[in-house]
Amino acid sequence: MRVGILTGGGDCPGLNAVVRAATKSLMLEYNAEIVGVEDGFLGLIERRTRPLSYKDVSGILAQGGTILGTNNRANPFKFYGRGGADVSDEVMAYYHELGLDALVALGGDGTMSMCHELEQKGMKIIGVPKTIDNDLRATDRTFGFDTAVAIATDAVDRLQTTGQSHGRVMILETMGRYAGWLALYSGVAGGADIILIPEIPYQIEDVVKTCQQRSGRQRFTVIVVAEGAMPQGGSMSIAQVDPSSPDPIRLGGIGNALRQAIEQRAPELEVRTTVLGHIQRGGSPTPFDRLLATQFGTYAASLVASGQFGRMVALQDNRLTSVPLAQVANKTRTVPRDCLMVASALAVGTSFGDPTLRIPLDGLGDGILAQ
Ligand code: F6P
């Protein structure tokens, strides 16, 4: 058996852990030969692959990034390198020339959508869900998210001590694209006073009021704002548009816009903004992400071995499973406004910048951590 493996989209901690787990288990259990594709789908378009040996994937469990390289712009159905041309037939031809029995693709929603389209052209493909945004459908977790939450939580902790010393309003802008998972989880874990996420547009007056009230009592305020957050009646802050990318919008800038908005309305408050940026995607995965990645990788190998193609590995209610790629392609998963994590945050006095948001605790019932 010959199996290809690639890492697509933006990188995140845990990619190497999955590459290692899938490669080792396919080699040890099924005597497979593994072909590493370089730089995601770009490698399939530009015909850049290399054999992966057992030694190549040894010692990479804790290593950040991806030994294969990645690319978040190369789409075989709309390739920027050739004026947006569909080069998927060439990709299919190369896949057959390589003699691959299957391809394991690690990626986010963009990668899963491309996988789904390639599957329809006859590629035997398995997806493994990665992203620090945790915004993929049909899985409670993506690997990389836990590490990003840990990094952002550490930042919240640090901003708290310096904010407390100076009596300032400290704003932390996190990544997460159109979903607020990363801001919500790190905000709750760090005990932020205000959490602003795209799913709950905020009232700037309410945010200012909370900062002023806290200034009179605790002296300082920590705000975690997701890059996709927006004021009521406003829109998301766009940092950059990259027309060559399948997802051309790069969000960013809300942290500074929020600082200005607060300063205009309350000049007595001293406000500082920290934009965490790509630090959230770098470095070594947490133990949780290493465990998840190892299980995702071996589960992907088992799907290959049992011939279950056109599926994405998923974690649902703490169980490993798989779902058809069609279920995840071109869709994302955002934070439900009435989920347990939002309810818990509200219950401990955290503000979401929307005074009308109420979730009665008596109606909550049971809930799992991820919802
Ligand atoms: O999807 C992962 C992510 O880090 C998002 O949170 C962020 O909006 C985006 O990628 C940044 O993309 P780039 O690496 O192109 O700057």
Side-chain angles (χ1 to χ4, degrees):
M1 179 163 48
R2 250 169 96 76
V3 181
I5 187 158
L6 68 77
T7 54
D11 75 330
C12 79
L15 285 166
N16 285 327
V18 177
V19 170
R20 165 187 177 268
T23 302
K24 284 192 170 184
S25 51
L26 281 164
M27 280 178 176
L28 293 173
E29 297 267 325
Y30 310 108
N31 208 19
E33 278 175 54
I34 310 298
V35 177
V37 180
E38 295 173 358
D39 298 337
F41 284 114
L42 190 61
L44 281 186
I45 297 169
E46 294 180 344
R47 298 178 160 245
R48 287 189 285 112
T49 55
R50 62 175 194 262
L52 279 188
S53 69
Y54 196 87
K55 205 166 153 234
D56 289 330
V57 297
S58 291
I60 64 169
L61 171 63
Q63 200 176 308
T66 160
I67 58 163
L68 295 173
T70 188
N71 182 290
N72 65 1
R73 296 192 301 146
N75 178 355
F77 296 90
K78 219 175 161 198
F79 180 42
Y80 67 89
R82 276 199 242 146
D86 181 346
V87 296
S88 58
D89 285 340
E90 292 170 40
V91 164
M92 288 305 295
Y94 185 46
Y95 165 79
H96 289 303
E97 271 171 50
L98 287 168
L100 296 181
D101 297 296
L103 179 75
V104 175
L106 286 48
D109 66 323
T111 304
M112 293 309 138
S113 306
M114 292 171 213
C115 287
H116 179 48
E117 285 188 77
L118 288 169
E119 176 214 349
Q120 287 171 322
K121 291 187 83 105
M123 194 177 282
K124 291 180 176 163
I125 197 158
I126 302 289
V128 185
K130 70 91 226 194
T131 165
I132 63 163
D133 306 332
N134 201 36
D135 62 349
L136 278 187
R137 278 277 174 94
T139 185
D140 296 338
R141 281 294 170 98
T142 54
F143 68 88
F145 176 65
D146 186 67
T147 308
V149 169
I151 295 166
T153 302
D154 181 57
V156 176
D157 290 347
R158 289 170 191 278
L159 290 175
Q160 209 146 24
T161 61
T162 168
Q164 192 165 29
S165 309
H166 287 264
R168 287 174 170 163
V169 175
M170 304 302 286
I171 300 172
L172 178 72
E173 178 182 316
T174 66
M175 283 186 164
R177 264 193 339 168
Y178 305 109
W181 296 108
L182 185 48
L184 175 64
Y185 273 53
S186 56
V188 172
D193 310 300
I194 303 175
I195 300 173
L196 305 176
I197 59 176
E199 296 84 349
I200 308 174
Y202 60 87
Q203 292 176 14
I204 184 63
E205 272 68 32
D206 190 69
V207 172
V208 171
K209 196 170 122 202
T210 305
C211 295
Q212 285 173 322
Q213 283 169 350
R214 283 191 54 87
S215 162
R217 291 194 313 256
Q218 293 93 335
R219 284 183 10 109
F220 77 105
T221 304
V222 174
I223 305 178
V224 177
V225 59
E227 62 181 358
M230 66 200 134
Q232 287 182 9
S235 51
M236 291 186 186
S237 298
I238 296 173
Q240 206 185 328
V241 178
D242 177 357
S244 70
S245 170
D247 180 11
I249 306 286
R250 293 290 175 276
L251 296 172
I254 185 68
N256 279 315
L258 185 63
R259 178 179 56 76
Q260 281 167 13
I262 296 172
E263 282 171 349
Q264 267 168 17
R265 289 166 179 78
E268 77 281 8
L269 295 176
E270 229 190 322
V271 192
R272 295 289 185 271
T273 292
T274 301
V275 181
L276 207 44
H278 292 80
I279 286 171
Q280 290 157 104
R281 283 192 354 210
S284 192
T286 57
F288 178 89
D289 270 337
R290 295 180 201 188
L291 299 173
L292 187 64
T294 301
Q295 291 180 90
F296 274 3
T298 49
Y299 198 79
S302 79
L303 291 176
V304 169
S306 55
Q308 297 182 65
F309 300 114
R311 305 188 70 80
M312 184 189 82
V313 174
L315 183 76
Q316 292 182 349
D317 295 339
N318 247 351
R319 301 177 88 86
L320 278 182
T321 183
S322 70
V323 294
L325 283 167
Q327 239 183 62
V328 286
N330 302 310
K331 298 182 189 92
T332 52
R333 186 177 74 102
T334 51
V335 176
R337 283 173 67 97
D338 58 352
C339 71
L340 185 59
M341 195 61 86
V342 172
S344 302
L346 280 173
V348 296
T350 309
S351 164
F352 286 84
D354 180 353
T356 66
L357 186 68
R358 301 242 184 288
I359 308 177
L361 287 180
D362 58 355
L364 273 184
D366 296 339
I368 59 166
L369 190 63
Q371 290 180 341

